[in-house]
Structures are given as structure tokens and as C-alpha cells.
Amino acid sequence: MNSINRISGVHTATYLPVDIAAEQQNARVYGNEPHPAGKIALGLESVSLSFGGVVALENIDLSVRPGEIRAIIGPNGAGKSSLINVISGVYRPDRGHVRIGHDRFTNVPTQKLVHLGVARTFQNLALFKGLSVTDNVMSGRAHKARSTFLGQIFGIGRSPSEEVDAHDRAAKILKFLNLTDVGNRLAGTLPYGLQKRVELARALVAEPALLLLDEPMAGLAEPEKVEMTKFIRAANREYGTTIVLIEHDIGVVMELSHYIAVFDYGRKIADGTPEEVRADQKVIDAYLGVAAENIDGGGI
Amino acid sequence: MTIATLEAIPTSYTPRWLTPVLLLGIAYLIIPLVGTSYLFEAILLPFLALSLAGVGLNILTGYAGQVSLGSAAFLAVGAFAAYNFNLRIDGLPILGSIFLSGVVAAAIGIVFGLPSLRLRGFYLAVSTLAAQFFVQWALTKFSWFSNNSASGVIDAPPLSIAGVEFNSAVGRYLFSLTIVAVLTFLAYRLVLSQTGRNFIAVRDNETAARIIGVPVLKTKLIAFGVSSFVIGIAGVLWAFAYLRTVEPAGFNLDRSFQILFIIIIGGLASIRGAFFGAALLVVTPLILSRVGSFLLGDFFDSGVLDMSQRIVLGGLIILFLILEPDGLVSFWDRIRKRTTTRLLRQ
């Protein structure tokens, strides 16, 4: 809980569907006003990353305020996934810093990520195929476990209450995401769309202050996209979770995000509200492509 | 290797504890009455020791996904450690020696598990060979371990708990059975716990596991420690209850492979699988020798038997990997499901 308070700067009581009604009554809805007092949930300061001469990210600055839904879009190879991998410590940037809440890192410690209040999903599913759906979601609480393996074997100490707690929280998240019916299925046997949702559940059960979603809509059918959009928005509104998402579906992005950053060739070419971005000439060029003569006035 | 078996999914309406309790009832009450000494000595004692070793290796390889080719080394560590504890500490009860030998095996297992923090898959498997060769070498080289016996052979001490002797075939069977039952139950508890989920998380996707906060390094070392503890105690049963006389050469690479085959054939990431696999591996040579000598008569001598064993076993493993990668356990579950649905329909 500390980590969440530290980042959002706002008291987020508990993070469970039972509290949704109470939170709505308090009308503390981040949804339309993501601007609490100039605080920063996530900041990138001149981050650069290259792979053996190929530049993936070049001098990226980005700042995401608590409670915001920030989309990162751009053509293939624009560096979007690299960005998420830098934020989650999978890649180590060549230069620059990553700020998560009050902490500033040159290299984000992956193992501590969840303790900093950050959770993420993966572009290509990264579920634990050999675990049931419930167990997958419960594994999202692994970082909370204080009991030793001996305590768990013999069922003594904190272990029984931790197990009950993890199970209850998983059950609530599964209910929230309409996954209760498949709770006992092996995660690997579910259809793709449901697996995506299980991944979201596993990330949400950790009660992240900042949620990184790497292409949450990829491979989903239209009705599934509608549902997923609903879930992401609900997580943002009802839990106050800051969300950074990478997405190709422009329709979804325009509808869902408060702010959009546009990347092209490893650089950030635009950053603003959906309306601003939509009208930006550089963005239009990057997406529609622009012939060299249009800029320079000469042929090739 | 496809590893997608999980025992947590109920296939029928019988309570989960029923089958194990029934089996234990038969094992404790009926088998000692009807069993012959051949059954105990040649089948059940090796079956129990190998099953336990399979349970141990399955924790490491099946659940936590760390392939090990050093199981026989930990069998040997267990056997020789128990022998020395029993020999050198006066008044230590046999169960105390057995427990401590497990602790020693676990400690050595953790040391040889350290490469797993950097190496994966094939490379890790090769590095576990170091345990295999080092332990065998050390036990042969330093005769202190075998109390200066010239050939490195050790003789098992008599088994007794609180004055009750367990030295007959039935006695050693009951002794093994009890230890195997207790440790299997504890292993079962472990794999269903948070730590057990961490094992599978590390096996299925290490990066994702690290990001969601699973303590990956600790989880791997726990897997190595617990696995070696269980295999070490299986080694004590192998040496003290089954063979009664062992030498370091008995714990060679062949034995390591045998245990690996047990869990592949039985079913990876399944506690029951170890028992299925061990049963098959113990019974196959016996059936083979009966059938062989019946069909071929005198031509089927021990050399031919040995060769045909290897061929049949190798064939079985290839067949299993192709046709039933989840092992005998999933085969068994399918048959049971089919028969129950057929029974229900009638």
C-alpha cells in the first residue's frame, strides 16, 4: 500500500471490487481529470537505448501523472515495446533515467518492480501455462508472501491466512473480469482473448499504482476489444490506477486515453490530448507516410 | 518436453483423499499379510526408494523446470551421510541419521544448484553432471566416508525405532513405506502452496515471474534444496532398506538417468507420476526376463537380458515422448475418465 500512496499521492484505500461502490460515492474519480497537483507517476528523462548501433529509443522524455491513461502509439519498430521494457527493467537504457514515483533509476530493478507499485502485461502472452487461472492470478500476490516454504508445507505461521487472502483477492478480481467460470481451467487451454484477460487479472491483483499494458487488444475480436476497453477504464476509474498502454488500434486509443504520445523511429514526435495528436501534421505523416518530394520540393 | 499437467483439476466426484487413503490401507494391512519375500525384496523395496527419488526429482525438474542429471549423486550423499551419522554419533536414533542425511544432501544440492542462477535448460543439465562426477569421485577417493573399507562398500546398520526391529523383509518394507508416505504427503503440500506456484511460474516464464515479484533465485534454490533432501532420503532407503550393501559405483550416471526416465514416463510435474514411472521401471525388467526365458529358453542369459532391457526402455521413452508427453499419469486419467463416463451412461 505504501508504494501506491507514494506514487499517486492520494489515499487509495483497498483495491477490490467490493470497494468500488464506496469509491464511486466519494466521487473521487480520476477518469476525466488526471491532474492531481503536478505529481508524477512515471517519468522518463532523456532515455536512449540502442541495440548494437540500431537506435531503438532516442532521447525520450515522458511524464505521466497519477490517474492518467496514457497511450503510446506509433508504427511498427517505433520503439514502443522497448520503452515498456526499459520501464520494467527488462532492458537497460544506454543513457537517461526512469522515475517511478519518488524513485529515480538508471536501471530499473525488475525484481523490485512490483514493490514499487508497477505491474505489466506482455505483448505475447506470458501466463504460466501449467497453472490454473486462479493460481495464475494468485501468483500475482507472490510478492506479498512472508511465510517460509516450511511454514507453507506444515500450514503454520502466516501461511494459512496468506493463502486465504491471496485466494480471496484472486476470486474478486476474477469476478470483476468475468473470469470466475474458468477459474479451474489450466491457463494454457483458454482461448487467446481470455488469456489476455487473465494476464490483466494477474497484473491487477498486485494492486499496482502504475499498470503497463503492452498491446492489450492485439489479436482480440471486436466484442472482446469492447470488453477489454471497459475493463481498462474500470481499473483506471475505480482503482485510480495510472495506466500506460501501447496499442495499435487507433480507435481504441482515441476513445480510451487521456493523453497520447506518438513515437516514430525511436523518437517521440508528438504528445498531447487525442484531439491535438489527431491534428498533428507529423503524426499524419508518420502514419500515412510522406514522399520525399513533399517535404523538399524535389524528386528522388 | 511438454509440461502441462496439474493435479489440481478434479476428474471425478470422489474426494481427493480417498484414493491415497485406500492405497495406504492396502499397503499397510493387506500386502504384509499376502506378500512373499520376493515381492518385498525384488519389487516393493526398490519401487518405494525409486518412487521417492522420483518425487524428489519431480519437484526440481517437473515443477521448477530445472533439469538435473545428478540425482544419483544425491542418493549417494544420503546413503553415505546416514551411514556416517549412524556410525560416528553414538546414540543417534536411526530416524535422526536419516533426517540429518537429508539435510546434508539438501546443503550439497543447494551448492550444486548455484549454477542454475545463471544457466538454463541444457547448460544447467550439463552443469549438474558436475555433482554426479564429483560426489562419486569424493566417495571413492576419501575412504573416510566408507569407514576405511577397502572397496568403498558400506553395510547398512540394523533398522530399529524405539526398540522395534525392522530388519525382516516386511519390516524394511513397512519402514520404507512410512517414510515414503510421509515425505510424499509433505511434497504434495509443498507443490500446492505459494512456493509450489512459484516453482511453476519460474518454469513456465522466468521473466514474467521475476516481474510479478516471484523471488526467482530463492525459488530455484528452494527447489534444489528440497529436491535433494527428498532424493537423499530415498538414497538412505535404497542403501539401508533395499540393498543393505552399497558402494559409490552403484550411484552412477545410469542411476541418474533411471530416475529422470521415471519422471518422464510417469509424468512431469505430478507427484503420482513418480510412482507410476517407478512401478514401470521396476517391473519391466522382471517381466522381460520371465517372458524372455519363456520364449527363448537358455539363450536369454543375463547379458541378453541387460541389452534387451535397455532397448525396451529406450523404445518406451521414445514412445512416451511422442504419444503421451504428459506421461502415464495423463494416460491413466484418460482411461479412468472414459470408464467412469461409460459406467455413468449405463
Side-chain angles (χ1 to χ4, degrees):
Chain A
M1 246 23 218
N2 282 337
S3 54
I4 290 174
N5 294 338
R6 200 161 41 157
I7 293 178
S8 63
V10 181
H11 178 64
T12 9
T14 10
Y15 187 72
L16 295 168
V18 276
D19 298 309
I20 291 172
E23 292 206 12
Q24 280 172 336
Q25 275 180 356
N26 291 339
R28 193 170 51 70
V29 175
Y30 290 90
N32 301 319
E33 296 170 73
H35 286 281
K39 297 213 159 119
I40 285 186
L42 171 72
L44 273 76
E45 299 164 5
S46 344
V47 168
S48 296
L49 173 75
S50 59
F51 299 103
V54 180
V55 177
L57 295 171
E58 197 179 339
N59 228 8
I60 301 295
D61 286 298
L62 188 74
S63 99
V64 180
R65 278 160 296 234
E68 190 172 302
I69 298 182
R70 168 68 63 104
I72 295 170
I73 62 171
N76 283 326
K80 307 182 299 292
S81 283
S82 297
L83 188 78
I84 286 223
N85 281 330
V86 165
I87 298 169
S88 56
V90 177
Y91 295 160
R92 186 193 190 118
D94 302 335
R95 270 175 290 122
H97 299 278
V98 178
R99 271 187 64 184
I100 297 172
H102 291 311
D103 299 299
R104 194 157 170 267
F105 303 99
T106 37
N107 186 25
V108 181
T110 310
Q111 191 86 61
K112 288 191 196 147
L113 205 61
V114 70
H115 299 286
L116 296 167
V118 183
R120 69 167 286 184
T121 65
F122 293 81
Q123 184 176 353
N124 305 310
L125 292 165
L127 284 176
F128 308 126
K129 290 185 168 48
L131 285 176
S132 73
V133 169
T134 304
D135 283 345
N136 260 285
V137 179
M138 283 172 81
S139 70
R141 300 292 299 177
H143 66 288
K144 288 282 181 192
R146 293 287 167 274
S147 55
T148 64
F149 75 97
L150 285 174
Q152 291 165 14
I153 292 176
F154 294 106
I156 49 175
R158 294 181 189 156
S159 133
S161 60
E162 277 179 4
E163 190 75 6
V164 169
D165 178 63
H167 194 272
D168 288 351
R169 285 168 188 272
K172 280 169 188 160
I173 294 283
L174 287 178
K175 194 171 169 217
F176 174 59
L177 296 180
N178 291 341
L179 286 167
T180 309
D181 291 346
V182 294
N184 285 327
R185 295 265 302 271
L186 283 181
T189 64
L190 293 183
Y192 190 79
L194 285 184
Q195 292 197 33
K196 280 262 179 198
R197 220 189 287 171
V198 175
E199 247 203 302
L200 181 65
R202 187 180 68 186
L204 280 178
V205 82
E207 303 175 2
L210 172 64
L211 180 59
L212 310 171
L213 302 173
D214 196 349
E215 303 208 10
M217 309 293 169
L220 298 192
E222 204 49 49
E224 291 175 323
K225 282 185 184 176
V226 173
E227 260 188 321
M228 187 61 100
T229 309
K230 200 181 75 192
F231 291 134
I232 293 172
R233 186 174 287 144
N236 171 253
R237 271 199 194 152
E238 288 158 14
Y239 302 158
T241 309
T242 311
I243 292 173
V244 173
L245 79 150
I246 288 176
E247 189 43 61
H248 272 298
D249 188 317
I250 295 297
V252 169
V253 166
M254 292 291 171
E255 187 192 329
L256 193 59
S257 335
H258 303 128
Y259 291 97
I260 299 174
V262 188
F263 279 56
D264 196 18
Y265 294 112
R267 284 171 297 119
K268 189 171 83 172
I269 57 171
D271 196 351
T273 62
E275 290 72 30
E276 288 166 5
V277 165
R278 205 196 307 257
D280 193 299
Q281 189 57 44
K282 276 187 282 186
V283 177
I284 297 168
D285 291 347
Y287 267 87
L288 301 179
V290 56
E293 61 263 42
N294 289 359
I295 294 173
D296 301 332
I300 300 170
Chain B
M1 273 183 274
T2 333
I3 315 176
T5 347
L6 190 84
E7 303 191 321
I9 288 151
T11 47
S12 60
Y13 297 103
T14 53
R16 298 186 55 73
W17 51 265
L18 192 65
T19 319
V21 167
L22 278 179
L23 285 176
L24 276 180
I26 294 169
Y28 270 108
L29 301 174
I30 298 176
I31 291 180
L33 294 179
V34 300
T36 60
S37 110
Y38 175 80
L39 179 72
F40 294 120
E41 298 274 4
I43 299 178
L44 290 176
L45 283 169
F47 163 72
L48 285 171
L50 288 175
S51 299
L52 188 61
V55 168
L57 184 63
N58 227 339
I59 289 174
L60 181 65
T61 302
Y63 285 93
Q66 313 296 306
V67 182
S68 164
L69 297 176
S71 316
F74 299 110
L75 288 176
V77 168
F80 279 79
Y83 172 77
N84 280 292
F85 279 122
N86 189 67
L87 181 77
R88 294 171 204 281
I89 303 178
D90 276 334
L92 185 66
I94 193 87
L95 285 180
S97 313
I98 292 176
F99 176 77
L100 287 177
S101 70
V103 173
V104 171
I108 295 179
I110 289 172
V111 170
F112 281 100
L114 288 173
S116 74
L117 306 184
R118 282 303 179 93
L119 301 177
R120 288 188 201 182
F122 207 66
Y123 301 97
L124 177 65
V126 171
S127 85
T128 58
L129 281 176
Q132 177 61 49
F133 293 121
F134 175 80
V135 167
Q136 238 189 322
W137 171 81
L139 291 177
T140 319
K141 169 86 180 168
F142 304 106
S143 54
W144 181 86
F145 289 119
S146 48
N147 199 24
N148 300 318
S149 109
S151 49
V153 175
I154 56 169
D155 290 314
L159 303 177
S160 70
I161 300 170
V164 185
E165 298 274 332
F166 289 93
N167 292 314
S168 64
V170 185
R172 282 179 282 135
Y173 162 73
L174 291 173
F175 185 87
S176 298
L177 179 64
T178 308
I179 290 179
V180 170
V182 169
L183 283 180
T184 303
F185 176 69
L186 296 181
Y188 174 77
R189 296 265 316 166
L190 176 69
V191 299
L192 291 185
S193 73
Q194 179 62 52
T195 305
R197 287 194 292 274
N198 290 352
F199 286 164
I200 294 180
V202 168
R203 175 194 81 192
D204 284 354
N205 197 320
E206 202 176 311
T207 309
R210 181 171 287 125
I211 283 174
I212 67 168
V214 171
V216 173
L217 305 185
K218 190 173 137 200
T219 300
K220 283 183 179 176
L221 292 183
I222 289 177
F224 269 96
V226 172
S227 160
S228 308
F229 180 88
V230 175
I231 296 176
I233 289 181
V236 185
L237 296 183
W238 182 262
F240 286 14
Y242 168 48
L243 287 177
R244 309 288 288 153
T245 304
V246 291
E247 55 179 334
F251 300 101
N252 55 13
L253 192 57
D254 277 3
R255 184 77 57 217
S256 289
F257 274 114
Q258 190 183 25
I259 297 165
L260 189 62
F261 294 159
I262 283 176
I263 66 169
I264 291 176
I265 291 179
L268 289 163
S270 153
I271 297 283
R272 287 177 301 160
F275 290 86
F276 281 91
L280 192 80
L281 247 74
V282 168
V283 170
T284 310
L286 301 175
I287 294 176
L288 213 62
S289 93
R290 292 282 166 88
V291 172
S293 50
F294 176 74
L295 293 177
L296 301 171
D298 288 342
F299 173 72
F300 202 79
D301 57 17
S302 64
V304 180
L305 173 65
D306 198 42
M307 276 305 164
S308 56
Q309 250 180 53
R310 284 161 190 265
I311 294 168
V312 168
L313 201 61
L316 272 178
I317 286 162
I318 294 171
L319 271 181
F320 265 96
L321 287 178
I322 295 171
L323 300 175
E324 197 64 73
D326 290 338
L328 276 171
V329 164
S330 82
F331 184 62
W332 169 257
D333 282 344
R334 254 209 326 275
I335 290 177
R336 210 176 53 170
K337 215 174 193 173
R338 209 170 290 167
T339 44
T340 30
T341 43
R342 194 168 299 163
L343 284 174
L344 288 176
R345 212 178 291 154
Q346 279 169 357

